[in-house]
Amino acid sequence: MLAAFTFNTAENLPVGLLEVISASLRVSLSAVGLLITGYGVTVAVASLPLAHVTRSVPRRHVLTGLLAALVVSSAAAALATSYWLLLGARLLTALAQALFWAVLGPVAAGLFAPRVRGRVVAALSVAGSLALVLGVPAGTWLGRHTDWRTPVAVPAALGLVSLVTIAVLLPTSRPQEAPAAYGTGPDARRFVTVLAAGTLSATGAFAGYTYVVEFLGEVGGFSPSAVSALLVAFGAACLTGTAVTGALLDRFPHSSLSTAVAVQAVGMLGLYAVGTHPVAAVVFLVLTGGALGPVFMAAQNAMLLCAPGRTDIALAANSGCYNAGIAAGAALGGLVLPSAGVRDTFLAGGLLTVAACAVLLRGGRARQPV
């Protein structure tokens, strides 16, 4: 859980430090946004190949190596003196994360009975969501009061703690013999539906979320201190949504994903429509945050159920597609930002999320008996 928190914090830190990094390295906001795009592209491209190459390596060894890469890359990012060095360090972290979520799910879920594995996925997701509640807001505050390199260095220390703990305590076993190595109800149609919907949902979410700090300042009219507080509220909503959805995940695995995607669509379109009104902006920001974590969590849980083959390969595919969506979303937002303005990034994101709802609805109908 600490490793999940640390990886998600490292991934999302640039969201709250866009302006600080931009000023320090003398590059545009869109260029700093590419730190997120490049991260997502790397995870998207590398997830499946890395999962395939390491499919027979004991999971303890894999997780230890991934955390070692996180420690090294975080330290390198904190010491970066140019934009390109920072980008290179970020890509190394992304390579580690490309495999991390694929390995973590089956390892943790395999320690428990199938009937409660949804709760296990939820526990890991809660830890990951804490990155948005604690990691990103704290890193944003720390970066603005010291230097952006300080919060970027923190994941190195946290990753080291996780590395030592896992290296010492996690048993060594053959991956193919793990209890959660294969899906409990293989379903190729459901597998493809979840991948497609997750990709569209991630693209929509990050088309807007990548530039949420600018949105809250320019459109909502919030002060920098209020924006920091709203990032905490966003993260708290993400955590709450994950906890609530996680409690229902084992009972309603299909409807949990559909509901989360629908709530995200409402939140993003609401921000576009009435984001200029502070109270409404807060309400729809909370709705968006409350859906962001549950979407990925419910998709991950679906992979453990419907994977047509090995669950680690299915989870790698899900992580790869989701991060492809993150990269595409950040890139889309970067294109919309200079031409139409930050408000329209949420319109584009909301419409893509509606498309994800349609995919799930159609997939659900296709599963009904004739």
Side-chain angles (χ1 to χ4, degrees):
M1 289 176 71
L2 177 60
F5 169 80
T6 304
F7 262 110
N8 275 15
T9 298
E11 177 183 6
N12 291 292
L13 268 177
V15 172
L17 299 172
L18 283 178
E19 295 176 344
V20 179
I21 296 174
S22 174
S24 174
L25 298 181
R26 299 179 181 178
V27 294
S28 67
L29 285 175
S30 295
V32 181
L34 288 175
L35 293 175
I36 299 170
T37 305
Y39 196 106
V41 168
T42 301
V43 174
V45 171
S47 290
L48 273 174
L50 287 177
H52 181 76
V53 168
T54 61
R55 66 189 183 281
S56 299
V57 181
R59 305 292 89 171
R60 180 170 69 90
H61 298 161
V62 172
L63 284 173
T64 301
L66 296 177
L67 287 164
L70 173 64
V71 171
V72 171
S73 60
S74 296
L79 296 173
T81 56
S82 72
Y83 172 79
W84 295 108
L85 289 175
L86 176 59
L87 179 60
R90 288 274 300 170
L91 296 184
L92 177 57
T93 307
L95 282 173
Q97 186 157 336
L99 186 58
F100 175 74
W101 284 106
V103 173
L104 186 68
V107 168
L111 300 174
F112 297 86
R115 67 179 182 277
V116 296
R117 285 177 182 170
R119 299 181 205 173
V120 178
V121 173
L124 297 175
S125 296
V126 166
S129 297
L130 279 172
L132 297 178
V133 180
L134 298 176
V136 174
T140 300
W141 180 89
L142 188 60
R144 288 179 174 175
H145 288 79
T146 56
D147 181 83
W148 64 266
R149 292 176 176 82
T150 304
V152 168
V154 172
L158 298 178
L160 185 60
V161 174
S162 298
L163 188 158
V164 172
T165 303
I166 288 175
V168 172
L169 298 179
L170 189 68
T172 302
S173 59
R174 299 177 64 186
Q176 60 270 32
E177 297 175 355
Y182 297 92
T184 55
D187 186 336
R189 182 186 294 274
R190 177 66 181 171
F191 173 73
V192 173
T193 297
V194 171
L195 285 184
T199 304
L200 285 169
S201 177
T203 304
F206 281 83
Y209 176 61
T210 303
Y211 304 97
V212 68
V213 172
E214 286 66 41
F215 178 91
L216 292 173
E218 294 179 17
V219 179
F222 294 99
S223 66
S225 59
V227 169
S228 295
L230 287 173
L231 287 178
V232 175
F234 183 94
C238 182
L239 178 62
T240 301
T242 300
V244 171
T245 305
L248 303 172
L249 203 53
D250 288 308
R251 295 177 59 191
F252 309 104
H254 298 327
S255 58
S256 294
L257 178 58
S258 301
T259 301
V261 174
V263 171
Q264 178 181 304
V266 171
M268 298 197 73
L269 292 176
L271 281 169
Y272 165 75
V274 293
T276 53
H277 302 282
V279 174
V282 172
V283 170
F284 286 107
L285 181 72
V286 167
L287 279 178
T288 304
L292 188 60
V295 168
F296 183 69
M297 176 188 67
Q300 289 286 88
N301 185 63
M303 293 296 105
L304 292 173
L305 299 176
C306 69
R310 283 266 297 266
T311 53
D312 54 355
I313 301 298
L315 287 166
N318 184 58
S319 179
C321 287
Y322 191 86
N323 279 276
I326 292 176
L332 175 62
L335 291 174
V336 172
L337 185 64
S339 59
V342 68
R343 185 178 180 182
D344 282 355
T345 63
F346 281 83
L347 173 61
L351 293 176
L352 284 169
T353 309
V354 170
C357 291
V359 168
L360 288 171
L361 181 61
R362 183 177 180 180
R365 286 179 177 173
R367 287 169 54 83
Q368 299 299 320
V370 178

